Amino acid sequence: MKENYVLECCVDSVESAIHAANGGADRLELCSNLVIGGTTPDVALVKEIRKYADIRIHALIRPRFGDFCYSEHEVSLMKEQIRALKQAGVEGVVIGVLDEDGHLNVSVMQELMAEAQGLSVTLHRAFDMCCDPFEALETAIKLGINTILTSGQKQSAWEGRELLARLQEQATGRIAIMAGAGIGAKTIGQLMPVTGITTYHMSGKVTLDSRMRYRQEGVSMGLPGISEYEIWQTSEELVREAVQAIKKE
């Protein structure tokens, strides 16, 4: 068993948070709108989860869908979101800002880090969109960031395993490398021996059918191709299987 393993579960609902906690996840990355990659969750969601699950919560700070190059107004919003979620009692925040050339925007990141003082900080997958991951790793360490969430700049962590191994080697315990994208029990069993990574990020989602009996077909309220009558939710069993996979290694 790995003594220092971490399994983080990405969730955007109370039900998913409860399932993740019951499945044995160590902490949540709490978001809204996972269908578009996640945005900042509402404080009310944090409070509702706290009623039913005793688990660490790291809140995503992402004001919108799209790139990670933010306007002055968006940065101001992100700072306010950190303050509000910190006040609500989250244990960490998940942030990432790039400049126009694909480097971490150090000045803005410093502003966000100042707001997040006292919290654990994860650099999210903006890292996977940066132009030089090795430079970004060193910058993240200088900023005082605790964890980098990355797929190794590929669509899935398994595809990015070579870069993940190199990042883990470069980190040398100075910062945690957390593998994410396509993570499950099988992938963890494959990745751990070739990367040495013991920190993993998963959603463990399954697609549930809506309880609606009446269905208005042909009208979309969101992204084209996404059914209004499908619900994404974390599976307690998939989380439990992933925990067991880590413990076996």
Side-chain angles (χ1 to χ4, degrees):
M1 173 180 174
K2 295 288 185 183
E3 297 298 331
N4 60 339
Y5 80 84
V6 175
L7 182 66
E8 176 180 274
C9 198
C10 188
V11 304
D12 65 356
S13 70
V14 178
E15 291 84 358
S16 287
I18 293 169
H19 293 163
N22 289 345
D26 297 285
R27 67 180 184 232
L28 306 178
E29 185 197 87
L30 185 62
C31 315
S32 290
N33 304 309
L34 272 177
V35 70
I36 55 171
T39 56
T40 306
D42 192 275
V43 167
L45 181 57
V46 176
K47 292 180 178 179
E48 190 68 13
I49 288 170
R50 290 293 194 206
K51 296 177 185 178
Y52 303 101
D54 181 18
I55 187 171
R56 286 180 63 88
I57 297 176
H58 290 191
L60 177 65
I61 306 297
R62 187 184 181 209
R64 58 162 170 79
F65 169 77
D67 66 38
F68 302 105
C69 186
Y70 295 112
S71 71
E72 179 182 343
H73 298 298
E74 288 169 331
V75 171
S76 179
L77 177 60
M78 292 165 78
K79 290 161 71 173
E80 180 59 35
Q81 289 171 334
I82 292 173
R83 287 192 287 269
L85 286 158
K86 186 176 182 180
Q87 182 66 31
V90 301
E91 287 83 9
V93 290
V94 184
I95 62 177
V97 182
L98 302 180
D99 64 22
E100 293 90 338
D101 297 314
H103 301 277
L104 284 178
N105 188 322
V106 174
S107 62
V108 174
M109 289 292 291
Q110 286 173 331
E111 291 181 46
L112 299 183
M113 291 295 293
E115 295 291 347
Q117 188 172 4
L119 301 177
S120 179
V121 178
T122 297
L123 171 59
H124 60 47
R125 291 187 63 205
F127 181 88
D128 287 324
M129 307 301 285
C130 72
C131 62
D132 185 337
F134 303 108
E135 174 193 69
L137 185 150
E138 296 300 330
T139 301
I141 291 170
K142 290 175 184 175
L143 285 165
I145 289 169
N146 304 96
T147 303
I148 295 173
L149 169 61
T150 174
S151 63
Q153 297 202 323
K154 297 292 185 181
Q155 197 66 25
S156 72
W158 178 245
E159 293 175 79
R161 61 192 179 278
E162 292 183 11
L163 179 55
L164 287 172
R166 293 175 66 190
L167 292 168
Q168 177 74 353
E169 182 178 10
Q170 182 176 332
T172 58
R174 296 175 296 160
I175 193 169
I177 303 298
M178 178 164 58
I183 296 298
K186 180 179 178 181
T187 323
I188 290 169
Q190 293 171 328
L191 281 171
M192 289 182 79
V194 299
T195 66
I197 289 173
T198 58
T199 303
Y200 291 90
H201 171 98
M202 69 181 294
S203 66
K205 72 175 185 293
V206 292
T207 303
L208 306 179
D209 191 43
S210 168
R211 293 184 292 112
M212 290 291 297
R213 288 188 293 270
Y214 174 77
R215 301 192 177 193
Q216 179 69 280
E217 301 297 343
V219 180
S220 176
M221 296 291 140
L223 296 174
I226 302 295
S227 171
E228 305 300 328
Y229 302 106
E230 292 181 353
I231 308 295
W232 286 9
Q233 196 170 101
T234 294
S235 161
E236 181 178 328
E237 183 57 33
L238 291 179
V239 175
R240 185 175 293 110
E241 289 173 2
V243 171
Q244 291 171 349
I246 295 174
K247 289 181 177 180
K248 279 199 297 189
E249 293 301 320

